[in-house]
Amino acid sequence: MLNSEQIHEILLRLIGTNDKHNHPSYAHEHCLYKDSYIYVKHKPDLIVKKQPLVLHPSIIHLKGEVDAIEGVETDWQPTKNTSFRRYPKLNGTSQYGYAFNVESEGAIQQLLYLIGISNGHPEMNKTKQSTKAGGNMAALNQILYGPPGTGKTYNTINQALAIVDPAYLTEYEHDRHKIKARFDELVTKNRIGFVTFHQSFSYEDFVEGLKANSDNGVLSYSVDPGVFKSICERASSSHLQVVSVDAFDDAVIQLQEKYEEADDRIEMETVRGKKFEIEYVGGITFKIFPHSTESTDPKYVASIANVRKLYLTGSKQDIYNTSYVEGFLLYLKKHFGLKEYVPEVADHETTQQPFVLIIDEINRGNISNIFGELITLIEPSKRSGCAEALSVKLPYSKESFSVPSNLHIIGTMNTADKSLAQVDIALRRRFEFVEMMPQHGLLSGIAIDGIDVAKMLKTINQRIELLYDREHTIGHSFFLPLKDDPSIERLARIFELEILPLLEEYFFEDWERVGQVLGDHLKTDASLQFIEEKFTDSSVLQLMGNDWSQDGIRPYQRNDAALSNPDAYKGIYDAQQG
């Protein structure tokens, strides 16, 4: 069992509590989130070994769930030497929690996750502490939504690392280069997947579809897994610290090389001695040709992911074409020296490693077409291994398929493209939504020729809310390049190429309203207006004569000279009506 100092160090890493925090004399106090605390017994110059972890007395309501966690022990007797100072006395008596022995970091993570769920904080990712809390505490399905430029895609990297490698994120949270490098490494290792939805993205791209192959003019079709199915298969076959079994992958590579050098198909046999041949059709799929059938295209396939799953777990459950998959694995062992897989740690630590699929612009795709019947399977309670687990038979491969419980899905959604109210209801019910709005404070300290950039953006967004809505405000990230290049030239470029086109799109080229957002209607000096009338009264008179009267909105155009004038930007927030 872990002692008090070991538990304290684990909580520092998982929750991110400041070790300089004002702890009571008898315990280390850790804040899980607002108004929720965890205590670790503390004695001067003495490490506490007996029931060092203390949870609030309300944990008794979760007795059944806690007792089901492997590696957690308690006698469910209130501990009288560790009162919860953050909670008021009950009938004049201090409140005492329950003390626990815990066996591993994984057991602690499950306890923290259970506390979060019971108190209405399932995702645990809306505070600084929860960002460091580890994969088991993050929501399985979440969507970061907000106006353009609020850092949604940028933050998916941090969210993914908080799930897959929280310790690394905690250590290097202020070093963006290291975080991005680690993210790229995990993408290469297939621990993190990334895809962008668009109008033509389909079920065949996402789950699986048919792929045409031509061999000497003979056309054939194979079932190719999509982005989602591929990462699901990899996640479901990952156990312990071994996510990509090097020896197994090496054997598969050798098999592929052997096939490329061979003049014909490679022959294998099942455990019962029935012979069959394999044909590599690309990706992670081999086509199977049993000797017992006369069909030239029997449409049997063997998925490498299923072979890997059988190798790692020894379980044939949910594996399609089991006898061929097993024969495939036997061939790898016999011809390429693949040794039996032996777990390296005790059984109670054999947890699956977390995986993440990031879906950028999730609201731009047709959810019904892309997810199909799998929209139900992504629900946390319907994942494989859960009490309400479900599986379906896929239409092309005919394989039984379920979504593993260690796969997290993170989506991003631009509310300027589609408001939250318009999002597919099936999607809304299955995802937790985390709002990301402009953070003007991140621009504090940026001053260019006297221009207060943070105040300027805040004023622009307040006017957009009045004229349109908050979902079409402008994010702070448009202006972050000014931190490294605080020049009027860079600011003018941002306005010319990003801000003005965005405002024109928002207001459907209603130039008058664009000018109102920028405070042009309050500027007494017309040269400081970003949007100006295209024709003066005299030019209209010259063009159209005295008898012509204009109906509707008069034409406007950009005033390029104002883009290089600092006073034009100051006038956005300082302009007064004359």
Side-chain angles (χ1 to χ4, degrees), residues 136-175:
N136 288 338
M137 298 180 64
L140 280 177
N141 306 321
Q142 62 177 303
I143 290 177
L144 311 182
Y145 73 99
T150 52
K152 298 178 291 297
T153 304
Y154 180 92
N155 275 281
T156 57
I157 293 178
N158 286 35
Q159 296 281 6
L161 283 186
I163 294 167
V164 178
D165 195 350
Y168 190 93
L169 179 64
T170 301
E171 184 175 358
Y172 298 106
E173 63 178 334
H174 300 300
D175 191 333

Short mmCIF file of all heavy atoms in Angstrom, two decimals, residues 136-175:
data_model
loop_
_atom_site.label_atom_id
_atom_site.label_comp_id
_atom_site.label_asym_id
_atom_site.label_seq_id
_atom_site.Cartn_x
_atom_site.Cartn_y
_atom_site.Cartn_z
N ASN A 136 -8.27 9.50 -16.66
CA ASN A 136 -9.47 8.90 -16.16
C ASN A 136 -10.47 9.92 -15.66
O ASN A 136 -11.62 9.60 -15.39
CB ASN A 136 -9.13 7.92 -15.02
CG ASN A 136 -8.47 6.68 -15.54
OD1 ASN A 136 -8.61 6.34 -16.70
ND2 ASN A 136 -7.74 5.98 -14.69
N MET A 137 -10.05 11.18 -15.47
CA MET A 137 -10.94 12.19 -14.94
C MET A 137 -11.49 13.09 -16.03
O MET A 137 -12.30 13.96 -15.76
CB MET A 137 -10.21 13.02 -13.89
CG MET A 137 -9.76 12.22 -12.70
SD MET A 137 -8.91 13.24 -11.51
CE MET A 137 -10.23 14.33 -11.04
N ALA A 138 -11.05 12.94 -17.25
CA ALA A 138 -11.53 13.79 -18.33
C ALA A 138 -12.77 13.18 -18.94
O ALA A 138 -12.98 11.98 -18.90
CB ALA A 138 -10.44 13.96 -19.38
N ALA A 139 -13.62 14.05 -19.51
CA ALA A 139 -14.83 13.57 -20.16
C ALA A 139 -14.47 12.69 -21.35
O ALA A 139 -13.51 12.96 -22.06
CB ALA A 139 -15.68 14.75 -20.61
N LEU A 140 -15.24 11.62 -21.55
CA LEU A 140 -14.99 10.77 -22.71
C LEU A 140 -15.33 11.48 -24.00
O LEU A 140 -14.66 11.32 -25.01
CB LEU A 140 -15.80 9.47 -22.59
CG LEU A 140 -15.23 8.39 -21.67
CD1 LEU A 140 -16.18 7.21 -21.60
CD2 LEU A 140 -13.85 7.94 -22.13
N ASN A 141 -16.41 12.28 -23.98
CA ASN A 141 -16.83 13.04 -25.16
C ASN A 141 -17.01 14.50 -24.77
O ASN A 141 -17.84 14.81 -23.92
CB ASN A 141 -18.16 12.49 -25.70
CG ASN A 141 -18.13 11.01 -25.98
OD1 ASN A 141 -17.14 10.48 -26.45
ND2 ASN A 141 -19.22 10.33 -25.67
N GLN A 142 -16.25 15.37 -25.39
CA GLN A 142 -16.40 16.79 -25.08
C GLN A 142 -16.17 17.62 -26.34
O GLN A 142 -15.45 17.21 -27.25
CB GLN A 142 -15.44 17.23 -23.98
CG GLN A 142 -13.97 17.08 -24.33
CD GLN A 142 -13.06 17.60 -23.23
OE1 GLN A 142 -13.16 18.76 -22.84
NE2 GLN A 142 -12.19 16.74 -22.72
N ILE A 143 -16.81 18.78 -26.38
CA ILE A 143 -16.67 19.70 -27.50
C ILE A 143 -16.31 21.07 -26.97
O ILE A 143 -16.98 21.60 -26.07
CB ILE A 143 -17.96 19.77 -28.33
CG1 ILE A 143 -18.19 18.45 -29.09
CG2 ILE A 143 -17.92 20.93 -29.32
CD1 ILE A 143 -19.49 18.40 -29.88
N LEU A 144 -15.23 21.63 -27.49
CA LEU A 144 -14.84 23.00 -27.18
C LEU A 144 -15.53 23.90 -28.20
O LEU A 144 -15.30 23.76 -29.40
CB LEU A 144 -13.32 23.17 -27.25
CG LEU A 144 -12.47 22.12 -26.51
CD1 LEU A 144 -10.99 22.47 -26.66
CD2 LEU A 144 -12.86 22.02 -25.06
N TYR A 145 -16.38 24.80 -27.73
CA TYR A 145 -17.12 25.63 -28.68
C TYR A 145 -16.97 27.11 -28.34
O TYR A 145 -16.76 27.49 -27.19
CB TYR A 145 -18.60 25.24 -28.69
CG TYR A 145 -19.39 25.68 -27.46
CD1 TYR A 145 -20.19 26.83 -27.49
CD2 TYR A 145 -19.37 24.94 -26.28
CE1 TYR A 145 -20.90 27.23 -26.38
CE2 TYR A 145 -20.07 25.34 -25.17
CZ TYR A 145 -20.85 26.48 -25.22
OH TYR A 145 -21.55 26.88 -24.12
N GLY A 146 -17.06 27.93 -29.38
CA GLY A 146 -16.95 29.37 -29.18
C GLY A 146 -16.72 30.07 -30.50
O GLY A 146 -16.62 29.44 -31.56
N PRO A 147 -16.62 31.39 -30.48
CA PRO A 147 -16.40 32.18 -31.70
C PRO A 147 -15.03 31.89 -32.30
O PRO A 147 -14.16 31.27 -31.65
CB PRO A 147 -16.49 33.64 -31.20
CG PRO A 147 -17.12 33.56 -29.85
CD PRO A 147 -16.75 32.24 -29.28
N PRO A 148 -14.79 32.34 -33.53
CA PRO A 148 -13.47 32.11 -34.15
C PRO A 148 -12.37 32.84 -33.40
O PRO A 148 -12.58 33.94 -32.87
CB PRO A 148 -13.65 32.66 -35.56
CG PRO A 148 -14.81 33.60 -35.48
CD PRO A 148 -15.71 33.05 -34.44
N GLY A 149 -11.21 32.21 -33.35
CA GLY A 149 -10.05 32.86 -32.75
C GLY A 149 -9.96 32.78 -31.25
O GLY A 149 -9.20 33.52 -30.63
N THR A 150 -10.70 31.87 -30.62
CA THR A 150 -10.63 31.75 -29.16
C THR A 150 -9.71 30.61 -28.72
O THR A 150 -9.66 30.28 -27.53
CB THR A 150 -12.04 31.54 -28.57
OG1 THR A 150 -12.69 30.46 -29.23
CG2 THR A 150 -12.88 32.80 -28.74
N GLY A 151 -9.01 29.98 -29.65
CA GLY A 151 -8.01 28.98 -29.29
C GLY A 151 -8.56 27.58 -29.09
O GLY A 151 -7.99 26.80 -28.32
N LYS A 152 -9.64 27.24 -29.76
CA LYS A 152 -10.24 25.91 -29.57
C LYS A 152 -9.31 24.81 -30.07
O LYS A 152 -8.99 23.87 -29.33
CB LYS A 152 -11.59 25.85 -30.30
CG LYS A 152 -12.61 26.85 -29.75
CD LYS A 152 -13.91 26.80 -30.52
CE LYS A 152 -13.76 27.36 -31.94
NZ LYS A 152 -13.39 28.78 -31.97
N THR A 153 -8.87 24.91 -31.32
CA THR A 153 -7.96 23.89 -31.87
C THR A 153 -6.63 23.92 -31.12
O THR A 153 -6.05 22.86 -30.84
CB THR A 153 -7.73 24.15 -33.37
OG1 THR A 153 -8.99 24.17 -34.04
CG2 THR A 153 -6.87 23.05 -33.98
N TYR A 154 -6.17 25.10 -30.78
CA TYR A 154 -4.92 25.26 -30.02
C TYR A 154 -5.01 24.50 -28.70
O TYR A 154 -4.07 23.81 -28.30
CB TYR A 154 -4.70 26.75 -29.78
CG TYR A 154 -3.45 27.11 -29.01
CD1 TYR A 154 -2.25 27.39 -29.67
CD2 TYR A 154 -3.47 27.19 -27.62
CE1 TYR A 154 -1.11 27.74 -28.96
CE2 TYR A 154 -2.33 27.54 -26.91
CZ TYR A 154 -1.16 27.82 -27.58
OH TYR A 154 -0.03 28.16 -26.87
N ASN A 155 -6.16 24.60 -28.04
CA ASN A 155 -6.30 23.98 -26.72
C ASN A 155 -6.57 22.48 -26.78
O ASN A 155 -6.45 21.80 -25.76
CB ASN A 155 -7.41 24.67 -25.93
CG ASN A 155 -6.91 25.90 -25.20
OD1 ASN A 155 -6.29 25.80 -24.15
ND2 ASN A 155 -7.16 27.06 -25.76
N THR A 156 -6.94 21.96 -27.95
CA THR A 156 -7.13 20.50 -28.04
C THR A 156 -5.81 19.77 -27.77
O THR A 156 -5.82 18.64 -27.28
CB THR A 156 -7.66 20.09 -29.42
OG1 THR A 156 -6.77 20.54 -30.44
CG2 THR A 156 -9.05 20.64 -29.66
N ILE A 157 -4.69 20.41 -28.08
CA ILE A 157 -3.39 19.79 -27.82
C ILE A 157 -3.20 19.61 -26.32
O ILE A 157 -2.81 18.53 -25.84
CB ILE A 157 -2.26 20.64 -28.43
CG1 ILE A 157 -2.36 20.62 -29.96
CG2 ILE A 157 -0.89 20.16 -27.97
CD1 ILE A 157 -1.33 21.47 -30.67
N ASN A 158 -3.49 20.66 -25.55
CA ASN A 158 -3.38 20.55 -24.09
C ASN A 158 -4.37 19.55 -23.54
O ASN A 158 -4.05 18.77 -22.63
CB ASN A 158 -3.61 21.92 -23.45
CG ASN A 158 -2.45 22.87 -23.64
OD1 ASN A 158 -1.80 22.84 -24.68
ND2 ASN A 158 -2.17 23.71 -22.68
N GLN A 159 -5.61 19.58 -24.06
CA GLN A 159 -6.62 18.65 -23.57
C GLN A 159 -6.21 17.21 -23.83
O GLN A 159 -6.40 16.33 -22.99
CB GLN A 159 -7.96 18.94 -24.27
CG GLN A 159 -8.55 20.30 -23.97
CD GLN A 159 -9.25 20.36 -22.62
OE1 GLN A 159 -9.20 19.40 -21.85
NE2 GLN A 159 -9.89 21.46 -22.32
N ALA A 160 -5.65 16.96 -25.01
CA ALA A 160 -5.23 15.60 -25.36
C ALA A 160 -4.09 15.13 -24.45
O ALA A 160 -4.09 13.99 -23.97
CB ALA A 160 -4.81 15.53 -26.83
N LEU A 161 -3.12 16.00 -24.21
CA LEU A 161 -2.00 15.63 -23.34
C LEU A 161 -2.46 15.44 -21.90
O LEU A 161 -1.92 14.61 -21.17
CB LEU A 161 -0.90 16.70 -23.39
CG LEU A 161 0.00 16.68 -24.63
CD1 LEU A 161 1.12 17.70 -24.47
CD2 LEU A 161 0.59 15.31 -24.86
N ALA A 162 -3.46 16.22 -21.47
CA ALA A 162 -3.99 16.05 -20.12
C ALA A 162 -4.58 14.66 -19.93
O ALA A 162 -4.63 14.14 -18.82
CB ALA A 162 -5.05 17.12 -19.83
N ILE A 163 -5.00 14.05 -21.01
CA ILE A 163 -5.58 12.71 -20.96
C ILE A 163 -4.51 11.63 -21.14
O ILE A 163 -4.43 10.68 -20.38
CB ILE A 163 -6.67 12.56 -22.05
CG1 ILE A 163 -7.84 13.48 -21.75
CG2 ILE A 163 -7.14 11.11 -22.16
CD1 ILE A 163 -8.81 13.63 -22.90
N VAL A 164 -3.67 11.81 -22.15
CA VAL A 164 -2.71 10.76 -22.52
C VAL A 164 -1.43 10.81 -21.69
O VAL A 164 -0.90 9.78 -21.29
CB VAL A 164 -2.38 10.86 -24.03
CG1 VAL A 164 -1.35 9.81 -24.42
CG2 VAL A 164 -3.63 10.68 -24.85
N ASP A 165 -0.94 12.02 -21.42
CA ASP A 165 0.32 12.15 -20.68
C ASP A 165 0.26 13.36 -19.75
O ASP A 165 0.92 14.37 -19.95
CB ASP A 165 1.48 12.32 -21.67
CG ASP A 165 2.85 12.09 -21.01
OD1 ASP A 165 2.89 12.00 -19.77
OD2 ASP A 165 3.86 12.01 -21.73
N PRO A 166 -0.57 13.28 -18.69
CA PRO A 166 -0.76 14.43 -17.79
C PRO A 166 0.51 14.87 -17.08
O PRO A 166 0.70 16.06 -16.81
CB PRO A 166 -1.82 13.94 -16.81
CG PRO A 166 -1.76 12.45 -16.87
CD PRO A 166 -1.37 12.12 -18.27
N ALA A 167 1.38 13.91 -16.75
CA ALA A 167 2.62 14.28 -16.04
C ALA A 167 3.50 15.17 -16.91
O ALA A 167 4.10 16.14 -16.42
CB ALA A 167 3.37 13.01 -15.64
N TYR A 168 3.58 14.87 -18.20
CA TYR A 168 4.39 15.68 -19.11
C TYR A 168 3.80 17.08 -19.24
O TYR A 168 4.51 18.07 -19.24
CB TYR A 168 4.45 15.01 -20.48
CG TYR A 168 5.44 15.64 -21.43
CD1 TYR A 168 6.75 15.15 -21.52
CD2 TYR A 168 5.09 16.71 -22.23
CE1 TYR A 168 7.67 15.72 -22.38
CE2 TYR A 168 6.00 17.30 -23.09
CZ TYR A 168 7.29 16.80 -23.17
OH TYR A 168 8.20 17.38 -24.02
N LEU A 169 2.47 17.15 -19.34
CA LEU A 169 1.80 18.46 -19.45
C LEU A 169 2.06 19.30 -18.22
O LEU A 169 2.32 20.51 -18.32
CB LEU A 169 0.30 18.27 -19.65
CG LEU A 169 -0.52 19.55 -19.77
CD1 LEU A 169 -0.13 20.34 -21.00
CD2 LEU A 169 -2.01 19.24 -19.78
N THR A 170 2.02 18.68 -17.05
CA THR A 170 2.27 19.41 -15.80
C THR A 170 3.69 19.95 -15.77
O THR A 170 3.94 21.09 -15.37
CB THR A 170 2.04 18.49 -14.59
OG1 THR A 170 0.68 18.02 -14.62
CG2 THR A 170 2.30 19.23 -13.29
N GLU A 171 4.63 19.14 -16.22
CA GLU A 171 6.04 19.53 -16.15
C GLU A 171 6.38 20.63 -17.15
O GLU A 171 7.18 21.53 -16.85
CB GLU A 171 6.93 18.31 -16.40
CG GLU A 171 8.42 18.59 -16.26
CD GLU A 171 9.27 17.33 -16.40
OE1 GLU A 171 8.68 16.23 -16.57
OE2 GLU A 171 10.51 17.46 -16.33
N TYR A 172 5.77 20.59 -18.32
CA TYR A 172 6.16 21.54 -19.38
C TYR A 172 4.99 22.42 -19.82
O TYR A 172 4.94 22.85 -20.97
CB TYR A 172 6.70 20.78 -20.59
CG TYR A 172 7.93 19.97 -20.30
CD1 TYR A 172 7.87 18.59 -20.20
CD2 TYR A 172 9.17 20.60 -20.10
CE1 TYR A 172 9.02 17.84 -19.94
CE2 TYR A 172 10.31 19.86 -19.84
CZ TYR A 172 10.23 18.48 -19.76
OH TYR A 172 11.36 17.74 -19.50
N GLU A 173 4.05 22.71 -18.92
CA GLU A 173 2.84 23.42 -19.34
C GLU A 173 3.13 24.83 -19.87
O GLU A 173 2.32 25.39 -20.61
CB GLU A 173 1.84 23.52 -18.18
CG GLU A 173 2.32 24.31 -16.98
CD GLU A 173 1.23 24.40 -15.91
OE1 GLU A 173 0.05 24.31 -16.28
OE2 GLU A 173 1.57 24.55 -14.73
N HIS A 174 4.29 25.39 -19.52
CA HIS A 174 4.62 26.74 -20.00
C HIS A 174 5.57 26.72 -21.20
O HIS A 174 6.00 27.77 -21.65
CB HIS A 174 5.23 27.56 -18.87
CG HIS A 174 4.30 27.73 -17.69
ND1 HIS A 174 3.07 28.35 -17.80
CD2 HIS A 174 4.41 27.33 -16.39
CE1 HIS A 174 2.48 28.34 -16.62
NE2 HIS A 174 3.27 27.72 -15.76
N ASP A 175 5.91 25.54 -21.67
CA ASP A 175 6.82 25.41 -22.81
C ASP A 175 6.03 24.84 -23.99
O ASP A 175 5.90 23.63 -24.15
CB ASP A 175 7.99 24.49 -22.46
CG ASP A 175 9.10 24.52 -23.51
OD1 ASP A 175 8.79 24.80 -24.68
OD2 ASP A 175 10.27 24.26 -23.16
#
